[in-house]
Coordinates of all heavy atoms in Angstrom, one line a residue:
M95 N 182.1 66.6 193.2 CA 181.0 67.1 192.5 C 180.7 66.2 191.3 O 181.6 65.8 190.6 CB 181.3 68.6 191.9 CG 180.2 69.1 191.1 SD 180.3 70.9 190.8 CE 179.8 71.6 192.4
V96 N 179.5 65.9 191.1 CA 179.0 64.9 190.1 C 178.8 65.7 188.7 O 178.2 66.7 188.7 CB 177.8 64.2 190.5 CG1 177.4 63.2 189.4 CG2 178.0 63.5 191.8
R97 N 179.4 65.1 187.7 CA 179.2 65.8 186.4 C 178.6 64.7 185.4 O 179.1 63.6 185.1 CB 180.6 66.2 185.8 CG 180.6 66.9 184.6 CD 181.9 67.5 184.2 NE 181.9 68.3 182.9 CZ 181.5 69.5 182.9 NH1 181.2 70.2 184.0 NH2 181.6 70.1 181.7
I98 N 177.4 65.1 184.9 CA 176.6 64.3 184.0 C 176.2 65.2 182.8 O 175.7 66.3 183.1 CB 175.3 63.7 184.7 CG1 175.8 62.8 185.9 CG2 174.5 62.9 183.7 CD1 174.6 62.3 186.8
A99 N 176.3 64.7 181.7 CA 176.0 65.3 180.4 C 176.6 66.7 180.3 O 175.9 67.7 179.9 CB 174.4 65.4 180.3
G100 N 177.9 66.9 180.8 CA 178.5 68.2 180.7 C 178.0 69.2 181.7 O 178.3 70.4 181.6
V101 N 177.3 68.8 182.7 CA 176.7 69.6 183.7 C 177.1 69.3 185.1 O 177.0 68.1 185.5 CB 175.1 69.8 183.6 CG1 174.6 70.6 184.7 CG2 174.7 70.2 182.3
N102 N 177.7 70.1 185.9 CA 178.0 69.9 187.3 C 176.7 70.0 188.1 O 176.1 71.1 188.1 CB 179.0 70.8 187.9 CG 180.4 70.6 187.3 OD1 180.7 69.5 186.9 ND2 181.1 71.7 187.2
I103 N 176.2 68.8 188.7 CA 175.0 68.9 189.4 C 175.4 69.2 191.0 O 176.3 68.7 191.4 CB 174.1 67.7 189.3 CG1 174.9 66.4 189.6 CG2 173.7 67.5 187.9 CD1 174.0 65.2 189.7
P104 N 174.6 70.0 191.6 CA 174.8 70.4 193.0 C 174.9 69.3 194.0 O 174.0 68.5 193.9 CB 173.8 71.4 193.4 CG 172.7 71.3 192.2 CD 173.3 70.6 191.1
D105 N 175.9 69.2 194.9 CA 176.0 68.2 195.8 C 175.0 68.1 196.8 O 174.6 67.1 197.3 CB 177.4 68.3 196.5 CG 178.6 68.0 195.5 OD1 178.3 67.2 194.6 OD2 179.7 68.5 195.8
N106 N 174.5 69.3 197.4 CA 173.6 69.3 198.5 C 172.1 69.2 198.1 O 171.3 69.5 199.0 CB 173.9 70.5 199.3 CG 175.2 70.5 199.9 OD1 175.7 69.4 200.3 ND2 176.0 71.6 200.0
K107 N 171.7 68.9 196.9 CA 170.4 68.8 196.5 C 170.0 67.4 196.4 O 170.9 66.6 196.1 CB 170.1 69.4 195.2 CG 170.5 70.9 195.1 CD 169.2 71.7 195.2 CE 169.7 73.2 195.1 NZ 168.8 74.1 195.6
K108 N 168.8 67.0 196.7 CA 168.3 65.7 196.5 C 168.4 65.4 195.0 O 168.2 66.3 194.2 CB 166.9 65.5 197.0 CG 166.8 65.3 198.5 CD 165.6 64.9 199.0 CE 165.6 64.8 200.5 NZ 164.5 64.2 201.1
I109 N 168.7 64.0 194.6 CA 169.0 63.8 193.3 C 167.9 64.1 192.2 O 168.2 64.6 191.1 CB 169.5 62.3 193.2 CG1 170.2 62.1 191.9 CG2 168.4 61.4 193.5 CD1 171.4 62.8 191.6
P110 N 166.6 63.9 192.5 CA 165.6 64.3 191.5 C 165.7 65.8 191.2 O 165.6 66.2 190.0 CB 164.3 64.0 192.2 CG 164.5 63.1 193.3 CD 165.9 63.4 193.7
I111 N 166.0 66.7 192.2 CA 166.1 68.1 192.0 C 167.4 68.4 191.2 O 167.5 69.2 190.3 CB 166.0 68.9 193.3 CG1 164.8 68.6 194.0 CG2 166.2 70.4 193.0 CD1 163.5 68.9 193.3
A112 N 168.5 67.8 191.7 CA 169.8 68.0 191.1 C 169.8 67.6 189.6 O 170.5 68.3 188.7 CB 170.9 67.2 191.8
L113 N 169.1 66.5 189.2 CA 169.0 66.2 187.8 C 168.3 67.2 186.9 O 168.6 67.4 185.7 CB 168.4 64.8 187.6 CG 169.2 63.6 188.1 CD1 168.4 62.3 187.9 CD2 170.5 63.5 187.4
G114 N 167.5 68.0 187.6 CA 166.8 69.0 186.9 C 167.7 70.1 186.4 O 167.3 71.0 185.5
Y115 N 168.9 70.1 186.9 CA 169.9 71.2 186.4 C 170.4 70.9 185.0 O 171.0 71.7 184.4 CB 171.1 71.3 187.4 CG 170.8 72.1 188.6 CD1 169.9 71.7 189.6 CD2 171.4 73.4 188.8 CE1 169.6 72.4 190.7 CE2 171.1 74.2 189.9 CZ 170.2 73.7 190.9 OH 169.9 74.4 192.0
I116 N 170.1 69.7 184.6 CA 170.5 69.2 183.2 C 169.4 69.7 182.3 O 168.3 69.4 182.5 CB 170.7 67.8 183.2 CG1 171.8 67.3 184.1 CG2 171.1 67.3 181.8 CD1 171.9 65.8 184.3
Y117 N 169.8 70.4 181.2 CA 168.8 70.9 180.2 C 168.0 69.7 179.6 O 168.5 68.7 179.2 CB 169.5 71.6 179.1 CG 168.6 72.1 178.0 CD1 167.9 73.3 178.3 CD2 168.4 71.5 176.9 CE1 167.0 73.8 177.4 CE2 167.5 72.0 176.0 CZ 166.8 73.1 176.2 OH 165.9 73.6 175.3
G118 N 166.7 69.9 179.7 CA 165.8 68.9 179.1 C 165.2 67.9 180.2 O 164.4 67.1 179.8
I119 N 165.7 67.9 181.4 CA 165.2 67.0 182.4 C 164.5 67.7 183.5 O 165.1 68.7 184.1 CB 166.4 66.2 183.0 CG1 167.1 65.4 182.0 CG2 165.9 65.4 184.2 CD1 168.3 64.5 182.5
G120 N 163.2 67.4 183.5 CA 162.5 68.0 184.6 C 162.2 67.0 185.7 O 162.8 65.9 185.7
L121 N 161.4 67.3 186.7 CA 161.1 66.5 187.8 C 160.5 65.1 187.4 O 160.9 64.0 187.8 CB 160.3 67.1 188.9 CG 160.2 66.5 190.3 CD1 161.6 66.2 190.8 CD2 159.4 67.2 191.2
P122 N 159.5 65.1 186.5 CA 158.9 63.7 186.2 C 159.9 62.9 185.4 O 160.0 61.7 185.8 CB 157.8 64.1 185.2 CG 157.4 65.5 185.6 CD 158.7 66.1 186.0
L123 N 160.7 63.4 184.5 CA 161.7 62.6 183.8 C 162.8 62.2 184.8 O 163.3 61.0 184.7 CB 162.3 63.4 182.6 CG 163.3 62.6 181.8 CD1 162.7 61.4 181.3 CD2 163.8 63.5 180.7
A124 N 163.2 63.1 185.7 CA 164.2 62.7 186.7 C 163.8 61.5 187.5 O 164.5 60.6 187.7 CB 164.6 63.9 187.6
R125 N 162.5 61.6 188.0 CA 162.0 60.4 188.7 C 162.0 59.1 187.9 O 162.2 58.0 188.4 CB 160.6 60.8 189.3 CG 160.8 61.7 190.4 CD 159.4 61.9 191.2 NE 159.6 62.7 192.4 CZ 158.8 63.6 192.8 NH1 157.7 63.9 192.2 NH2 159.1 64.3 193.9
H126 N 161.6 59.3 186.6 CA 161.5 58.1 185.7 C 162.9 57.5 185.6 O 163.2 56.3 185.6 CB 160.9 58.5 184.4 CG 160.9 57.4 183.4 ND1 160.0 56.3 183.6 CD2 161.6 57.2 182.3 CE1 160.2 55.5 182.6 NE2 161.2 55.9 181.8
I127 N 163.9 58.4 185.4 CA 165.3 57.9 185.3 C 165.8 57.2 186.5 O 166.5 56.2 186.5 CB 166.2 59.1 184.8 CG1 165.9 59.6 183.5 CG2 167.7 58.7 185.0 CD1 166.6 60.9 183.1
L128 N 165.5 57.7 187.7 CA 165.9 57.1 189.0 C 165.1 55.8 189.1 O 165.8 54.8 189.7 CB 165.5 58.0 190.1 CG 166.4 59.3 190.2 CD1 165.7 60.3 191.2 CD2 167.8 59.0 190.4
H129 N 163.9 55.6 188.6 CA 163.1 54.4 188.7 C 163.9 53.4 187.8 O 164.1 52.2 188.2 CB 161.7 54.6 188.3 CG 160.9 53.3 188.3 ND1 160.5 52.7 189.4 CD2 160.5 52.5 187.3 CE1 159.9 51.6 189.1 NE2 159.8 51.5 187.8
I130 N 164.2 53.7 186.6 CA 164.9 52.9 185.7 C 166.3 52.4 186.2 O 166.6 51.1 186.2 CB 165.2 53.5 184.3 CG1 163.8 53.8 183.6 CG2 166.1 52.8 183.4 CD1 164.0 54.6 182.4
T131 N 167.0 53.3 186.8 CA 168.4 53.0 187.3 C 168.3 52.4 188.7 O 169.3 52.0 189.3 CB 169.3 54.2 187.3 OG1 168.7 55.1 188.1 CG2 169.5 54.7 185.9
Q132 N 167.1 52.4 189.3 CA 167.0 51.9 190.7 C 167.8 52.6 191.8 O 168.4 52.0 192.7 CB 167.2 50.3 190.8 CG 166.2 49.6 189.9 CD 166.5 48.1 190.0 OE1 167.6 47.6 190.4 NE2 165.6 47.3 189.6
V133 N 167.9 53.9 191.5 CA 168.6 54.8 192.5 C 167.6 55.4 193.4 O 166.6 55.9 193.0 CB 169.4 55.9 191.8 CG1 170.0 56.9 192.7 CG2 170.5 55.3 190.9
D134 N 167.9 55.4 194.7 CA 167.0 56.0 195.7 C 166.8 57.4 195.5 O 167.9 58.2 195.6 CB 167.4 55.6 197.1 CG 166.5 56.0 198.2 OD1 165.4 56.4 198.0 OD2 167.0 56.1 199.4
E135 N 165.6 57.9 195.4 CA 165.5 59.3 195.1 C 165.5 60.2 196.4 O 165.6 61.5 196.3 CB 164.2 59.6 194.3 CG 162.9 59.4 195.1 CD 161.7 59.8 194.2 OE1 161.5 59.1 193.2 OE2 161.1 60.8 194.5
S136 N 165.7 59.6 197.5 CA 165.9 60.4 198.7 C 167.3 60.7 199.0 O 167.6 61.5 199.9 CB 165.3 59.6 199.9 OG 166.0 58.5 200.2
K137 N 168.2 60.2 198.2 CA 169.7 60.5 198.4 C 170.0 61.8 197.8 O 169.4 62.4 197.0 CB 170.5 59.4 197.6 CG 170.7 58.1 198.2 CD 171.6 57.3 197.5 CE 171.9 56.0 198.2 NZ 173.0 55.3 197.5
K138 N 171.1 62.5 198.4 CA 171.6 63.7 197.8 C 172.6 63.3 196.8 O 173.2 62.2 196.9 CB 172.1 64.5 198.9 CG 171.1 65.1 199.9 CD 171.6 66.2 200.8 CE 170.5 66.7 201.6 NZ 170.9 67.9 202.4
A139 N 173.0 64.2 196.0 CA 174.0 63.9 194.9 C 175.3 63.5 195.5 O 176.0 62.6 194.9 CB 174.1 65.1 194.0
K140 N 175.7 64.2 196.6 CA 177.1 63.9 197.1 C 177.1 62.4 197.7 O 178.2 61.9 197.9 CB 177.4 64.9 198.2 CG 176.5 64.9 199.4 CD 177.0 65.9 200.4 CE 176.0 65.9 201.6 NZ 176.4 67.0 202.5
D141 N 175.9 61.9 198.0 CA 175.9 60.5 198.6 C 175.8 59.4 197.6 O 175.8 58.2 198.0 CB 174.7 60.5 199.6 CG 174.8 61.4 200.7 OD1 175.9 61.8 201.1 OD2 173.8 61.9 201.2
L142 N 175.8 59.7 196.4 CA 175.8 58.7 195.3 C 177.0 57.9 195.2 O 178.1 58.6 195.3 CB 175.4 59.3 194.0 CG 174.0 59.8 193.8 CD1 173.9 60.6 192.4 CD2 172.9 58.8 194.0
S143 N 177.0 56.6 195.0 CA 178.2 55.8 194.8 C 178.7 56.0 193.3 O 177.9 56.5 192.5 CB 178.0 54.3 195.0 OG 177.1 53.8 194.1
A144 N 179.9 55.6 193.0 CA 180.3 55.7 191.7 C 179.6 54.8 190.7 O 179.3 55.3 189.6 CB 181.8 55.3 191.6
A145 N 179.1 53.7 191.1 CA 178.3 52.8 190.3 C 176.9 53.5 190.0 O 176.4 53.4 188.8 CB 178.1 51.5 191.0
E146 N 176.3 54.2 190.9 CA 175.1 54.8 190.8 C 175.2 56.0 189.8 O 174.3 56.3 188.8 CB 174.5 55.4 192.1 CG 174.0 54.3 193.0 CD 173.6 54.7 194.3 OE1 174.2 55.6 194.8 OE2 172.6 54.0 194.9
V147 N 176.3 56.7 189.9 CA 176.6 57.8 189.0 C 176.8 57.3 187.6 O 176.3 57.9 186.7 CB 177.8 58.7 189.5 CG1 178.3 59.7 188.4 CG2 177.6 59.3 190.8
N148 N 177.5 56.3 187.5 CA 177.7 55.7 186.1 C 176.4 55.2 185.5 O 176.1 55.4 184.3 CB 178.7 54.5 186.2 CG 180.1 55.1 186.4 OD1 180.5 56.2 186.0 ND2 181.0 54.2 187.1
K149 N 175.5 54.6 186.3 CA 174.2 54.1 185.8 C 173.4 55.3 185.3 O 172.8 55.3 184.2 CB 173.4 53.4 186.8 CG 173.9 51.9 187.1 CD 172.8 51.2 187.9 CE 173.1 51.1 189.3 NZ 172.2 50.4 190.1
L150 N 173.4 56.4 186.1 CA 172.6 57.6 185.7 C 173.2 58.2 184.4 O 172.5 58.7 183.6 CB 172.6 58.6 186.9 CG 171.8 58.2 188.1 CD1 172.1 59.2 189.3 CD2 170.4 58.3 187.8
R151 N 174.5 58.4 184.4 CA 175.2 58.9 183.2 C 174.9 58.1 182.0 O 174.6 58.7 180.9 CB 176.8 58.9 183.5 CG 177.5 59.7 182.4 CD 179.0 59.8 182.8 NE 179.1 60.6 184.0 CZ 179.9 60.3 185.0 NH1 180.4 59.1 185.1 NH2 180.0 61.1 186.1
D152 N 175.0 56.7 182.1 CA 174.7 56.0 180.9 C 173.3 56.1 180.4 O 173.0 56.3 179.2 CB 174.9 54.5 181.3 CG 176.4 54.0 181.4 OD1 177.3 54.9 180.9 OD2 176.7 53.0 181.9
V153 N 172.3 56.1 181.3 CA 170.9 56.2 180.9 C 170.7 57.6 180.3 O 170.0 57.7 179.2 CB 170.0 56.0 182.1 CG1 168.5 56.4 181.8 CG2 170.0 54.5 182.4
I154 N 171.1 58.6 180.9 CA 170.8 60.0 180.5 C 171.6 60.2 179.2 O 171.0 60.8 178.2 CB 171.3 61.1 181.5 CG1 170.4 60.9 182.8 CG2 171.3 62.5 180.9 CD1 170.8 61.7 184.0
E155 N 172.8 59.9 179.1 CA 173.6 60.3 177.9 C 173.2 59.4 176.6 O 173.3 59.8 175.5 CB 175.1 60.3 178.1 CG 175.5 61.4 179.0 CD 176.9 61.4 179.4 OE1 177.7 60.4 179.0 OE2 177.4 62.3 180.0
K156 N 172.7 58.2 176.9 CA 172.5 57.3 175.8 C 171.0 57.3 175.3 O 170.7 57.1 174.2 CB 172.9 55.9 176.1 CG 174.4 55.7 176.2 CD 174.8 54.3 176.6 CE 176.3 54.2 176.7 NZ 176.7 52.9 177.2
N157 N 170.1 57.6 176.3 CA 168.7 57.4 175.9 C 167.9 58.8 175.7 O 166.8 58.8 175.2 CB 168.0 56.6 177.1 CG 168.5 55.2 177.1 OD1 168.8 54.6 176.1 ND2 168.5 54.7 178.2
Y158 N 168.5 59.8 176.1 CA 167.8 61.1 176.1 C 168.7 62.1 175.4 O 170.0 62.2 175.6 CB 167.5 61.7 177.5 CG 166.6 60.6 178.2 CD1 167.1 59.8 179.1 CD2 165.2 60.6 177.9 CE1 166.3 58.9 179.8 CE2 164.4 59.7 178.6 CZ 165.0 58.9 179.5 OH 164.2 58.0 180.1
K159 N 168.1 63.0 174.5 CA 168.9 63.9 173.8 C 169.2 65.1 174.7 O 168.3 66.1 174.8 CB 168.2 64.4 172.5 CG 168.1 63.3 171.4 CD 167.7 63.9 170.1 CE 167.8 62.9 169.0 NZ 167.5 63.4 167.7
V160 N 170.3 65.0 175.3 CA 170.7 66.1 176.2 C 171.9 66.8 175.6 O 172.9 66.2 175.4 CB 171.1 65.6 177.6 CG1 171.5 66.7 178.5 CG2 169.8 64.8 178.2
E161 N 171.8 68.1 175.3 CA 172.8 68.8 174.8 C 173.3 70.0 175.7 O 172.6 70.5 176.4 CB 172.4 69.4 173.4 CG 172.0 68.4 172.5 CD 171.5 68.9 171.1 OE1 171.5 70.1 171.0 OE2 171.0 68.2 170.4

């Protein structure tokens, strides 16, 4: 299970939807974050590599006020 910004995101959801479980991130912002990090939005959360998770975590926790 992937944990970003203190939230466990569901494994079986596509990553744009899964990022929406984090407070303050909706579908448009999730897609923007995926574009910035160059992560394929058709992947499911469980299929992300450790490097992709780290990129997402860095962008979300450093650039957006997620509490």
Side-chain angles (χ1 to χ4, degrees):
M95 182 169 279
V96 178
R97 187 170 178 87
I98 299 175
V101 176
N102 291 329
I103 59 174
D105 288 335
N106 293 322
K107 303 259 184 203
K108 288 194 177 183
I109 193 63
I111 303 301
L113 289 177
Y115 280 70
I116 301 171
Y117 179 78
I119 297 181
L121 190 57
L123 182 55
R125 286 190 172 142
H126 179 70
I127 292 168
L128 292 171
H129 177 73
I130 290 171
T131 57
Q132 298 178 346
V133 174
D134 183 16
E135 67 178 70
S136 65
K137 284 187 172 184
K138 291 190 175 187
K140 66 181 177 184
D141 298 330
L142 293 175
S143 69
E146 290 171 327
V147 171
N148 287 333
K149 281 196 261 183
L150 290 169
R151 188 176 293 128
D152 287 343
V153 168
I154 291 170
E155 291 179 355
K156 291 180 183 173
N157 295 328
Y158 301 100
K159 288 191 174 188
V160 178
E161 297 178 8

